[in-house]
Amino acid sequence: MSLLEVRDLHTEIRTRHRVVHAVDGISFDVQEGETVGLVGESGSGKSMVANSIMRLLPPGGAVTKGQILLANTDLLTLDERAMRELRGNQVGLIFQDPMSGLNPTMTIGRQVAEPLIFHKGFGRRAALARARELLDMVSIPRASERLDDYPHQLSGGLRQRVVIAMALACSPRLLIADEPTTALDVTIQAQILELLDDLKAQFNMALLLITHDLGVVAERANRVAVVYAGHVVETAQTGELFTRIRHPYTQALFASVPRLDQERGRRLYSIPGAPPDLSVLYPGCRFAPRCSRAHQECEGSAPALQDDGGHAVACFFSLGSDKDPLSAPPATPAAQGPERQVPPQKGRPVAEGPAPRAVPVTGSTPQEPPPPAPLLQLQDISKVFTATSGTFFRRETGLVQAVAGVSLGVAKGETLGLVGESGCGKTTLGRIAATLETPSSGKVLFNDKEISTFKERKLRKIRRDIQLVFQDPFSSLDPRMRVGAIIREPLVWQHEGDRASQRERVLELLDQVGLPKKSVDRYPHEFSGGQRQRVALARALALYPRLVIADEPVSALDVSIRSQVLNLMKDLQSEYELTYLVISHDLSVVRYIADRVAVMYLGRVVEVGSGDEIYSRPGHPYTAALLTCIPQPNPPQGDQHATAPVRGELPSALKPPSGCPFRLRCPEAKDICAEKVPALGSLGGTHEVACHFPLVKAETVSRGAQVTTDA
């Protein structure tokens, strides 16, 4: 029985200068107890569908046509008072960004209790008691203590659990989850998705799961609807859709996903072009300008959604049909996009010689020649911050060991991937390498010079060669400056050339990162997330750096845009002779771009090795768990769903556990793990692991001394 029916929904957003047709004739339904995945790129209209159902459209937004039936009641006919009664009571909504969905001035307890007071008539004490039960239900540790906390005091994963608790407070019949795991680590993402599955069964809810991640949909949804430019272009049961893709756009999305089994040397497939401007009404198929199967017929009229035995597709030349113009499919999950022609190198001249090799962190086997000197060396780096509390009178409450004795080397021309959950110390280590933070102890060597002791004047010269691409390009780009001025700023600061040569360099950089020259006069807010990341890369390359540190460069991007940016980074590395330190929580991204991988946990490197070593034979239980957590676009067999291999969250660096930092979450932990910190030991070659009980046997073990700590 259908709980939700959306019929021919049209939603428009009117601004001063144009009308955006955000949703243009979408139809789908959700059965009771079912999970339906709504998939597509950013700007395709997915979130606007959710906002239309909840009647929470932005200023200028209105549903102009269609029906939204919830248990046979048309929500578009209800007045505002009736809708307030329905929101949260019959339909719950999990917002994409939990921080923006929570009131920063209210405690967690009050916010979770509020729907109970408003909809169910609970008294304050009873509502707070039920709020504690709900926080327990969504697996928030020490729930009674969290009632008096504020949103900023919680991690991203805990904030997402609070938002889920609020949405479930009144036991709604339908839960809409809008990108519930986009900015979360893979371990926390797996826990949140498993939690949603459990709660759906417990409350007998239907779930509308909105996401751009095909792996998430494959593992969790019963049915999938693929949305492009305000239209549903394909819909089917999950297993049917992933085994017999019919629409070229669905296939292109699938091919854009980085996969662990993909050959590392091959380029990621990326969809050419960009989604259309939804303020323009196109007479034909909106995907035609980006489609390899497009014919003249596609430009004249839009294809209708045609159902073929439960698998509906809107395409004149669908894959495998009699009218398919291509005898063989143009893109399989392993297919690659067109190669970008790399222009002649414009970077610093380099001496001819053998390609750079991976640099082991500790010794080599005796038979091997000595490794090349690293461009960047981090020697026994530690960083301690002082934690404080209080609003007016600050007082010290403890010390946070953000980085604890990390030693790494990165060779010239190499890419080192630094992987781990949020809070493990990756970004702090990256900022130390970029000379934006001073280590509490240890040395930073760049090109054999110790730069960690340099004064600001000398650092100014070093920073020409070391550039940092920040995690959030929007917050790192000055919103008051035009893009041309942003990219030109490093040239001005370092007194490089005159104004004419600087402008020429800016235009050259825009061309190299795939942005039109007219971008110089636009502001950051006028660009998409992927375009802003390209601007950030252009600014970082302005001074011909030798080392680029990229902090989560693609974590918040759609799969199609992510593949474009990753391919661009590889091209620029070849073009500029770059060395990369790439910080990420996603091992599938690192698999494609990195030569070597270092895995961090709670301030320590727990495993390091070449990409093949890490992915084919992970030695640390944490590395193996990270690999297992990555959602892959392969539907599970039968009724089984993926389960989270790591429970709980990263321990607090204020009170780290004794011994091995991973032992509280490790299924292999023994008594010795609580007593001694394991040192990095060789598993053969460049592969090293810090574990008392590694998952693979060492070919040649040279385990270092154990470090004793208080139990």
Side-chain angles (χ1 to χ4, degrees):
M1 178 180 176
S2 293
L3 174 64
L4 175 70
E5 297 179 65
V6 177
R7 295 286 173 260
D8 194 27
L9 181 65
H10 291 70
T11 302
E12 296 179 351
I13 310 296
R14 293 185 175 273
T15 66
R16 290 183 60 187
H17 304 292
R18 60 179 186 162
V19 177
V20 178
H21 306 277
V23 181
D24 195 18
I26 283 182
S27 297
F28 66 92
D29 61 86
V30 182
Q31 306 291 321
E32 290 188 354
E34 183 184 37
T35 298
V36 172
L38 213 57
V39 182
E41 295 170 280
S42 292
S44 62
K46 309 184 305 295
S47 295
M48 205 55 65
V49 170
N51 292 336
S52 299
I53 294 171
M54 299 295 288
R55 299 255 304 265
L56 294 174
L57 294 169
V63 175
T64 59
K65 184 181 177 182
Q67 289 183 307
I68 302 174
L69 303 174
L70 181 69
N72 295 322
T73 300
D74 190 348
L75 304 187
L76 300 179
T77 64
L78 300 180
D79 59 23
E80 187 55 37
R81 180 176 180 180
M83 275 304 301
R84 282 199 302 268
E85 290 288 339
L86 184 136
R87 293 188 199 108
N89 205 15
Q90 295 292 319
V91 185
L93 175 61
I94 300 173
F95 292 96
Q96 182 170 351
D97 178 9
M99 194 62 182
S100 64
L102 295 171
N103 188 331
T105 66
M106 290 176 61
T107 63
I108 297 300
R110 283 187 61 195
Q111 295 191 63
V112 178
E114 191 175 43
L116 296 165
I117 296 171
F118 181 81
H119 290 297
K120 301 296 185 182
F122 277 55
R124 176 181 171 81
R125 182 174 297 180
L128 287 173
R130 177 57 179 164
R132 183 182 57 76
E133 293 175 5
L134 288 165
L135 295 181
D136 272 329
M137 192 180 300
V138 296
S139 303
I140 289 183
R142 305 184 306 279
S144 57
E145 299 176 20
R146 300 293 188 185
L147 292 174
D148 293 326
D149 284 349
Y150 288 88
H152 71 273
Q153 296 175 277
L154 305 184
S155 67
L158 290 181
R159 284 197 292 265
Q160 192 64 279
R161 292 169 189 265
V162 170
V163 172
I164 293 173
M166 292 170 60
L168 296 177
C170 298
S171 305
R173 300 176 66 183
L174 172 67
L175 182 63
I176 302 173
D178 186 5
E179 299 279 10
T181 60
T182 295
L184 300 180
D185 298 325
V186 288
T187 53
I188 305 303
Q189 171 180 275
Q191 293 178 34
I192 293 295
L193 292 171
E194 185 181 351
L195 173 66
L196 286 175
D197 278 344
D198 294 341
L199 293 172
K200 190 188 81 160
Q202 182 177 342
F203 285 88
N204 193 30
M205 292 185 305
L207 176 62
L208 179 61
L209 180 60
I210 298 172
T211 181
H212 65 254
D213 193 328
L214 287 169
V216 169
V217 166
E219 292 180 353
R220 305 291 168 176
N222 304 113
R223 286 190 298 120
V224 182
V226 182
V227 181
Y228 183 78
H231 292 285
V232 171
V233 297
E234 186 169 7
T235 181
Q237 295 289 328
T238 303
E240 162 71 11
L241 184 131
F242 280 88
T243 56
R244 196 167 67 96
I245 294 174
R246 303 285 302 280
H247 199 282
Y249 176 62
T250 309
Q251 189 181 51
L253 281 179
F254 194 95
S256 300
V257 178
R259 300 172 66 97
L260 293 177
D261 57 358
Q262 178 173 316
E263 185 181 338
R264 186 183 169 273
R266 301 181 68 183
R267 291 173 65 83
L268 293 173
Y269 177 78
S270 59
I271 307 174
D277 183 353
L278 295 182
S279 65
V280 179
L281 289 174
Y282 294 89
C285 173
R286 296 187 177 184
F287 187 61
R290 309 172 72 187
C291 182
S292 60
R293 284 170 161 76
H295 280 227
Q296 188 172 359
E297 183 179 350
C298 304
E299 299 175 1
S301 60
L305 196 66
Q306 299 291 333
D307 193 346
D308 180 15
H311 192 154
V313 61
C315 182
F316 293 124
F317 306 99
S318 59
L319 281 66
S321 68
D322 295 337
K323 297 180 66 177
D324 187 348
L326 302 181
S327 57
T332 64
Q336 304 302 306
E339 291 293 324
R340 177 180 183 266
Q341 297 299 315
V342 180
Q345 295 174 355
K346 297 180 173 62
R348 305 175 187 274
V350 293
E352 293 184 0
R357 295 174 35 189
V359 183
V361 178
T362 59
S364 317
T365 56
Q367 301 91 327
E368 293 182 345
L375 178 66
L376 173 71
Q377 296 180 72
L378 303 173
Q379 297 181 353
D380 199 25
I381 296 294
S382 293
K383 181 64 178 179
V384 178
F385 293 99
T386 301
T388 61
S389 66
T391 304
F392 299 104
F393 301 100
R394 311 295 290 177
R395 58 186 179 87
E396 295 185 9
T397 58
L399 299 176
V400 176
Q401 182 88 37
V403 181
V406 170
S407 295
L408 288 171
V410 191
K412 183 178 181 180
E414 182 188 34
T415 298
L416 175 66
L418 195 59
V419 181
E421 295 172 279
S422 295
C424 73
K426 309 186 303 295
T427 296
T428 300
L429 192 64
R431 289 178 63 85
I432 290 172
T435 71
L436 298 181
E437 294 279 358
T438 303
S440 302
S441 62
K443 298 179 181 179
V444 180
L445 278 72
F446 183 77
N447 204 25
D448 291 330
K449 296 179 181 178
E450 185 181 349
I451 62 174
S452 48
T453 58
F454 279 12
K455 301 299 182 184
E456 186 62 33
R457 186 174 180 179
K458 295 183 74 174
L459 282 178
R460 181 172 176 174
K461 296 181 179 179
I462 289 294
R463 286 176 181 148
R464 295 176 58 97
D465 292 330
I466 304 176
Q467 291 292 314
L468 179 63
V469 177
F470 293 91
Q471 180 171 356
D472 180 5
F474 191 64
S475 64
S476 67
L477 302 176
D478 192 329
R480 300 165 298 179
M481 293 175 65
R482 298 180 192 271
V483 160
I486 289 173
I487 299 174
R488 179 172 165 262
E489 189 176 31
L491 300 169
V492 175
W493 185 249
Q494 294 286 351
H495 308 292
E496 279 287 323
D498 56 20
R499 189 176 186 88
S501 63
Q502 290 171 357
R503 180 174 176 80
E504 182 180 349
R505 176 67 177 145
V506 169
L507 296 177
E508 178 186 40
L509 286 164
L510 286 172
D511 180 62
Q512 287 171 348
V513 299
L515 290 174
K517 293 182 178 180
K518 63 182 180 181
S519 300
V520 293
D521 294 322
R522 296 169 63 187
Y523 291 93
H525 73 271
E526 298 180 76
F527 292 88
S528 67
Q531 290 172 324
R532 285 196 290 265
Q533 198 62 277
R534 291 168 185 262
V535 172
L537 282 169
R539 181 178 61 179
L541 296 174
L543 295 167
Y544 298 103
R546 303 174 69 179
L547 171 67
V548 172
I549 301 169
D551 187 2
E552 298 279 10
V554 294
S555 61
L557 302 180
D558 293 334
V559 288
S560 57
I561 306 302
R562 179 170 59 185
S563 61
Q564 291 177 17
V565 172
L566 290 174
N567 285 337
L568 174 64
M569 289 179 67
K570 293 274 280 189
D571 292 340
L572 293 172
Q573 183 173 35
S574 174
E575 191 171 332
Y576 280 89
E577 304 291 336
L578 292 173
T579 301
Y580 279 137
L581 175 59
V582 177
I583 299 169
S584 178
H585 65 256
D586 191 339
L587 275 165
S588 62
V589 167
V590 172
R591 168 69 172 169
Y592 170 69
I593 200 168
D595 302 299
R596 285 192 306 127
V597 179
V599 182
M600 284 190 71
Y601 187 83
L602 207 63
R604 299 180 183 273
V605 171
V606 297
E607 187 165 7
V608 64
S610 69
D612 291 337
E613 290 168 335
I614 293 291
Y615 290 92
S616 62
R617 48 194 291 265
H620 199 282
Y622 179 59
T623 308
L626 287 178
L627 289 168
T628 306
C629 284
I630 299 171
Q632 293 295 306
N634 302 312
Q637 300 298 318
D639 295 330
Q640 294 182 344
H641 291 285
T643 57
V646 180
R647 301 292 175 181
E649 295 205 348
L650 199 73
S652 170
L654 266 172
K655 297 179 180 179
S658 62
C660 174
F662 186 61
R663 68 177 179 83
L664 298 180
R665 304 167 75 188
C666 181
E668 309 294 331
K670 305 289 190 300
D671 290 344
I672 191 176
C673 302
E675 301 168 3
K676 297 178 180 179
V677 177
L680 281 169
S682 176
L683 294 179
T686 63
H687 195 180
E688 297 184 310
V689 63
C691 182
H692 295 296
F693 307 99
L695 300 178
V696 294
K697 292 184 179 180
E699 297 171 8
T700 305
V701 177
S702 57
R703 185 174 298 280
Q706 306 294 336
V707 183
T708 304
T709 64
D710 294 332

